[in-house]
Amino acid sequence: MLIAIEGIDGSGKGTQAARLVENLEDEGYSATLLSFPRYERTFFGRAVGRFLNGEFGSLADANPYLVSLLFAGDRFESRDDLEIATQEYDIVVLDRYVGSNIAHQGAKLEESARAGLVDFVETLEFKIYNRPRPKLNILLDLPAETAQTLVGRKQTRNYTAQSHDLQEADGAYLDAVRRMYLTLANGHDRWTVVECVRQETLRSIEEISAEILQTVLQAAKS
Ligand code: ADP
C-alpha cells in the first residue's frame, strides 16, 4: 500500500512521514519511507535541485509543463526502488509524490488553465510512466506564512546554500500552491486533509501524527 504525504514546503511532511513509518511499525506493519525529489540519487533529481537553486531561471521564467517533466523523470528513474519497496514492505510512505508535481506546477497558471496541467501531469506520471497511484494522499494543510516560519528551522540542505530555496522564498507562490492542493484534495477520493493549524495555533507534531496514523490504519483495513 502506498501512502503519499503532501503539503507545501515546511508543512511538516518529512517529520510526519518519518513518524508515520515508526508508528506503523509499532502497530505491527512493516513500513518504509521514500522521499521525492531524490536530489542525490537520480539524474532528474539533480536537475530538480538545480532548478530549485535558480540555475534554470526564476519561478516565473520556467514553463510549468516543462518543469513537471523533471519531477516526473525523477519518479520514473526511481521505479525499481519503489517496486522493490512495495514488494518488501506492507506500507510504503512517500514524502511527496505526483500530487506535489500537480500542485506546484498548476499553481503557476491562471485558474482557467489549471485543468489542462492536471491532465498533462496525470497522463505523464500514471499512464506514460505507469507510476502506481497511492491508496491515500494525506494533505498537511496550513497557512503559507506559518510554513515559511517552519522552513527557517530546517537544517541547510545539500542542493542549495540558501535557507529558503526558489519556491520556499515566495510567499504568494506558496499560498497559490496551498490553494491548488486544497482544490485537488477537497471532495476527491484518495485524498484526505489534515488541518495542522486550529484556532490560529499550530498543533503539536504528536497530535498531527496521531491523526495521520488513525487515517492510515483505516485505509489499511478498507
Ligand atoms: P517539510 O518536509 O514539509 O518541508 P519538515 O517536516 O521539514 O517540513 O518541517 C519543517 C520544520 O518544522 C522542521 O524543523 C520540523 O521539526 C518543524 N515542524 C514540523 N511540524 C511541526 C509542528 N506541528 N510543530 C512544530 N514544529 C514543526
Side-chain angles (χ1 to χ4, degrees):
M1 184 169 91
L2 295 182
I3 301 290
I5 308 291
E6 292 285 356
I8 57 175
D9 306 283
S11 57
K13 295 178 300 298
T15 307
Q16 293 300 341
R19 281 191 163 239
L20 178 59
V21 168
E22 285 171 19
N23 290 339
L24 286 169
E25 284 169 346
D26 290 345
E27 294 288 328
Y29 290 94
S30 65
T32 190
L33 173 66
L34 207 57
S35 298
F36 292 101
R38 302 177 82 208
Y39 299 110
E40 279 142 42
R41 303 291 295 271
T42 67
F43 167 83
F44 281 103
R46 282 186 288 278
V48 165
R50 293 177 65 188
F51 161 68
L52 293 176
N53 209 20
E55 285 182 46
F56 300 152
S58 70
L59 266 186
D61 287 341
N63 182 290
Y65 280 87
L66 299 183
V67 172
S68 78
L69 299 175
L70 299 183
F71 289 90
D74 178 38
R75 272 180 285 278
F76 178 66
E77 239 184 305
S78 304
R79 62 198 180 285
D80 290 347
D81 290 343
L82 182 57
E83 179 67 25
I84 290 165
T86 49
Q87 279 168 12
E88 288 185 356
Y89 295 88
D90 300 326
I91 300 177
V92 180
V93 177
L94 303 161
D95 173 2
R96 290 194 176 287
Y97 197 57
V98 177
S100 284
N101 208 0
I102 296 173
H104 276 269
Q105 305 325 318
K108 296 172 193 163
L109 298 169
E110 295 292 325
E111 237 169 284
S112 59
R114 288 179 180 171
L117 184 285
V118 174
D119 187 49
F120 180 87
V121 176
E122 288 194 338
T123 303
L124 170 67
E125 301 229 34
F126 295 132
K127 296 201 175 127
I128 310 291
Y129 286 165
N130 200 23
R131 299 297 69 230
R133 286 180 193 264
K135 171 127 189 194
L136 192 63
N137 296 274
I138 298 173
L139 172 58
L140 305 180
D141 183 52
L142 79 182
E145 223 170 81
T146 316
Q148 274 187 306
T149 315
L150 293 179
V151 168
R153 294 189 199 163
K154 287 196 196 194
Q155 293 170 345
T156 311
R157 275 76 52 85
N158 290 340
Y159 69 87
T160 179
Q162 296 152 9
S163 66
H164 290 66
D165 72 27
L166 194 66
Q167 296 179 165
E168 294 162 349
D170 187 335
Y173 169 69
L174 278 189
D175 189 56
V177 178
R178 180 196 186 192
R179 281 183 282 109
M180 185 75 204
Y181 264 128
L182 286 169
T183 309
L184 268 183
N186 279 325
H188 287 87
D189 286 354
R190 297 173 182 258
W191 279 87
T192 184
V193 181
V194 172
E195 289 174 17
C196 299
V197 168
R198 278 208 183 135
Q199 289 159 349
E200 291 176 34
T201 308
L202 182 64
R203 293 165 71 200
S204 72
I205 289 174
E206 291 73 22
E207 198 184 321
I208 295 167
S209 65
E211 183 177 331
I212 293 173
L213 178 64
Q214 287 317 312
T215 309
V216 173
L217 290 177
Q218 255 183 5
K221 283 174 198 141
S222 69

